[in-house]
């Protein structure tokens, strides 16, 4: 039934021309519903992301905007900014904490710099599939308990969306085994566990904001990076990268973050609309993201990249190497959090 609902939702978006459009950054607040005066005090959500306006993350944000503006009758207007126009993940999260921006949707990896527990999702080869990820992130107690840690940082976590399984690209060689990572200068997100994992594989990792990544690859500052296929294709990394390997080494969730100041100033009805809109738009975003991730690997090959389909044996070998760094992060992430997430994965498998 849920799949039918999502399919109908996608169809309605396609017919409304919402999907695929560049989307506007700022729109006039919708007039009041017929027979109703437009609200007097309109409040604005400035929503910024790092990915570009072709990415399913941005299309999910447009769906969030549509729902919130319609259901609050224009009392809340959402301005959408993509491609890092409002800054990188850390800058935007700090702006939410200060109340100078209202929304951003980073991966959990940079969030871990504010709430270390979120680094549980950075454990390489933790999540076995998208289906299990959905059950853990959308249905488990521990995923909500992690979101409940955000208000102490002046952040509200409205919902989990999907970045997806991360894959390696680089300009030096086709990577098929753990040994092939040796000495590769790999950009990682700004996350200590990612850095430790790639060092264990023999690579030379460097943390870098997403907005600096394309130029760094173009100038050879780094040899490669790791991101889901949709990001690799839609951000045109095939223009500056020769090799892609389906390592699927980490499943990255996004979290829809709202500033606590904006949340606290919202009525209970508006809070319910904001949370529901984030959840419903997340269903659409995940569907679009999965279509994109399965669709674009061939396009990368056509664009001239060598595509190495990494075998399960090779991934197991990579996992054996990256498992060696986990002990040093157990206390930082929290043993209870790790145990609860692993139990939720077990129950969902
Ligand atoms: O806004 C984009 C960022 O949220 C980031 O998470 C995208 O996966 C990403 C990366 O590699 O930085």
């Amino acid at each position: 039934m849920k799949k039918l609902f999502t399919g109908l939702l996608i169809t309605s978006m396609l017919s409304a021309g919402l999907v695929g459009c560049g989307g506007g950054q700022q729109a006039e607040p919708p007039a009041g519903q017929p027979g109703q005066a437009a609200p007097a005090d309109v409040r604005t959500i400035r929503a910024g992301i790092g990915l570009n306006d072709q990415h399913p993350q941005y299309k999910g944000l447009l769906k969030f905007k549509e729902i919130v503006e319609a259901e609050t009758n224009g009392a809340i207007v959402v301005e959408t900014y993509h491609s890092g126009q409002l800054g990188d993940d850390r800058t935007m999260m700090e702006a939410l904490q200060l109340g100078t921006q209202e929304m951003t949707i980073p991966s959990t990896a940079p969030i871990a710099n504010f709430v270390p527990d979120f680094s549980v999702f950075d454990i390489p080869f933790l999540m076995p599939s998208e289906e299990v990820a959905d059950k853990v992130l959308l249905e488990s107690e521990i995923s909500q308990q992690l979101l409940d840690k955000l208000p102490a940082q002046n952040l509200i976590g409205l919902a989990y969306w999907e970045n997806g399984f991360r894959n390696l690209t680089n300009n030096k060689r086709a990577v098929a085994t753990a040994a092939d990572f040796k000495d590769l200068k790999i950009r990682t997100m700004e996350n200590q566990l990612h850095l430790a994992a790639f060092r264990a594989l023999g690579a030379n990792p460097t943390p870098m904001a997403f907005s600096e990544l394309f130029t760094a690859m173009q100038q050879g500052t780094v040899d490669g990076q790791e991101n889901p296929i949709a990001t690799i294709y839609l951000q045109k990394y095939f223009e500056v990268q020769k090799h892609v390997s389906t390592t699927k080494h980490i499943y990255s969730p996004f979290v829809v973050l709202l500033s606590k100041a904006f949340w606290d100033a919202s009525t209970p009805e508006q809070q319910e609309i904001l949370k529901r809109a984030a959840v419903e738009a997340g269903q659409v975003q995940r569907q679009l993201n999965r279509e994109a991730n399965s669709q674009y690997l061939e396009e990368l090959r056509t664009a001239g990249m060598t595509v190495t389909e990494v075998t399960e044996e090779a991934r197991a070998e990579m996992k054996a190497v990256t498992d060696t760094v986990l002990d040093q992060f157990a206390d930082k992430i929290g043993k209870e959090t790790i145990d609860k997430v692993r139990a939720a994965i077990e129950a969902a498998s």
Side-chain angles (χ1 to χ4, degrees), residues 49-51 57 89 92 105-107 110 163 166 187 189 208-210 213 225-228 231 252 254:
I49 61 172
L51 293 159
Q57 188 187 46
D89 291 329
M92 291 194 280
I105 314 174
S107 297
N163 195 354
R166 306 180 74 90
R187 173 269 176 179
M189 290 191 278
M208 185 184 293
F210 183 74
L213 175 52
Q225 62 85 45
E226 41 85 54
N227 251 293
T231 299
S252 254
F254 285 135

Side-chain angles (χ1 to χ4, degrees), residues 113 119 189-197 199 329 332:
N113 295 306
S119 224
M189 290 191 278
E190 293 168 293
N191 176 286
Q192 291 307 313
L193 208 166
H194 284 227
L195 287 165
R199 284 194 193 104
F329 291 93
K332 186 174 174 68

Side-chain angles (χ1 to χ4, degrees), residues 143-288:
S143 65
Q144 183 55 51
Q145 287 166 353
L146 290 174
L147 296 182
D148 293 343
K149 292 173 180 280
L150 289 164
Q153 300 296 326
N154 275 342
L155 299 168
I156 300 293
L158 293 177
Y160 290 96
W161 286 10
E162 176 178 270
N163 195 354
F165 278 105
R166 306 180 74 90
N167 299 285
L168 180 78
T169 66
N170 83 95
N171 272 334
K172 294 293 184 191
R173 64 185 83 102
V175 170
T177 67
D180 294 335
F181 283 83
K182 185 156 180 46
D183 297 333
L184 288 179
K185 291 184 291 182
I186 301 295
R187 173 269 176 179
T188 71
M189 290 191 278
E190 293 168 293
N191 176 286
Q192 291 307 313
L193 208 166
H194 284 227
L195 287 165
F198 279 98
R199 284 194 193 104
L201 285 165
N204 176 12
T206 181
M208 185 184 293
F210 183 74
S211 51
E212 297 164 19
L213 175 52
F214 189 94
T215 304
M217 293 187 288
Q218 199 171 34
Q219 295 177 346
T221 313
V222 294
D223 299 323
Q225 62 85 45
E226 41 85 54
N227 251 293
I229 297 298
T231 299
I232 296 167
Y233 180 76
L234 294 169
Q235 301 288 145
K236 298 189 186 300
Y237 291 171
F238 52 83
E239 291 178 352
V240 291
Q241 294 279 272
K242 294 190 187 106
H243 308 285
V244 57
S245 301
T246 58
T247 49
K248 296 179 67 175
H249 52 278
I250 283 174
Y251 176 89
S252 254
F254 285 135
V255 176
V256 180
L257 294 176
L258 191 72
S259 78
K260 190 172 182 296
F262 189 91
W263 176 261
D264 291 345
S266 301
T267 64
E269 295 73 22
Q270 288 173 339
Q271 290 178 348
E272 190 278 332
I273 291 168
L274 290 166
K275 188 158 179 63
R276 183 163 41 78
V279 171
E280 286 179 14
Q283 290 168 341
V284 174
Q285 186 272 337
R286 251 186 304 281
Q287 174 100 12
L288 292 173

Side-chain angles (χ1 to χ4, degrees), residues 73-110:
N73 185 34
I76 296 177
V77 168
V78 182
E79 292 178 354
T80 60
Y81 298 91
H82 56 81
S83 306
Q85 292 164 312
L86 298 186
D88 60 42
D89 291 329
R90 174 183 286 276
T91 305
M92 291 194 280
M93 283 189 276
E94 288 169 348
L96 265 58
Q97 290 179 311
L98 294 170
T100 55
Q101 183 183 327
E102 289 71 39
M103 177 176 280
T104 190
I105 314 174
S107 297
T108 49

